[in-house]
Amino acid sequence: MSVCPLPPVPYVPQPPAHAHAFIGWTSVALGHFHGVEMFVYAVNGDGTDGHVHRYQGHTKLAMGHFHRLIGMTGPPITLPDGSHYHEIDGLTNDEPFEFKQNYYKTVLSIKRHTHKFAGRTGTGIGYEPPGW
């Protein structure tokens, strides 16, 4: 029995992996708003390749509850120095949660509602050192 060797796979360099921070506020609903602070998931990309980042997390606590959020950024927007940022335009989950006895619990006394959040991420963070 002969073994068929696999052909060599050519090395194709990729842009560096990186993430972005996002800090902002939600819209007002039912008389309150929430803070949003998160990092988007790291991907390989640069300011010209059209990459996007996924994100998920939750808002900060306000009026006794928080909301989950999940989505994707827009493509990169290149800055004059070669760095880039991404636009985020999202909507929170409509279920108000609280942290109770080591688990998340729906707050039934608060009407279901959503909050819009939007803005720009910061420039990329977490790049590997040159030659790494």
Side-chain angles (χ1 to χ4, degrees):
M1 178 166 102
S2 66
V3 176
C4 179
L6 295 173
V9 177
Y11 173 72
V12 179
Q14 292 192 13
H18 65 284
H20 298 266
F22 177 83
I23 299 173
W25 300 98
T26 68
S27 62
V28 175
L30 299 180
H32 71 280
F33 59 92
H34 297 267
V36 178
E37 293 182 10
M38 66 180 170
F39 292 99
V40 299
Y41 289 114
V43 298
N44 293 81
D46 61 30
T48 63
D49 65 1
H51 73 277
V52 295
H53 297 261
R54 293 184 183 278
Y55 61 83
Q56 67 178 355
H58 59 80
T59 65
K60 294 204 172 271
L61 193 67
M63 299 290 287
H65 71 281
F66 63 90
H67 297 269
R68 291 183 287 192
L69 46 98
I70 186 169
M72 293 177 65
T73 69
I77 299 169
T78 307
L79 295 168
D81 67 359
S83 64
H84 70 277
Y85 66 89
H86 297 264
E87 295 280 349
I88 290 181
D89 189 0
L91 195 64
T92 66
N93 181 283
D94 71 345
E95 190 172 3
F97 284 97
E98 66 181 334
F99 193 67
K100 195 91 163 190
Q101 299 175 347
N102 295 324
Y103 63 92
Y104 297 132
K105 179 181 176 190
T106 301
V107 180
L108 298 174
S109 62
I110 299 173
K111 181 180 173 184
R112 283 183 175 251
H113 61 284
T114 61
H115 297 269
K116 182 174 174 47
F117 60 99
R120 297 176 173 183
T121 68
T123 56
I125 57 174
Y127 292 102
E128 302 98 359
W132 193 54

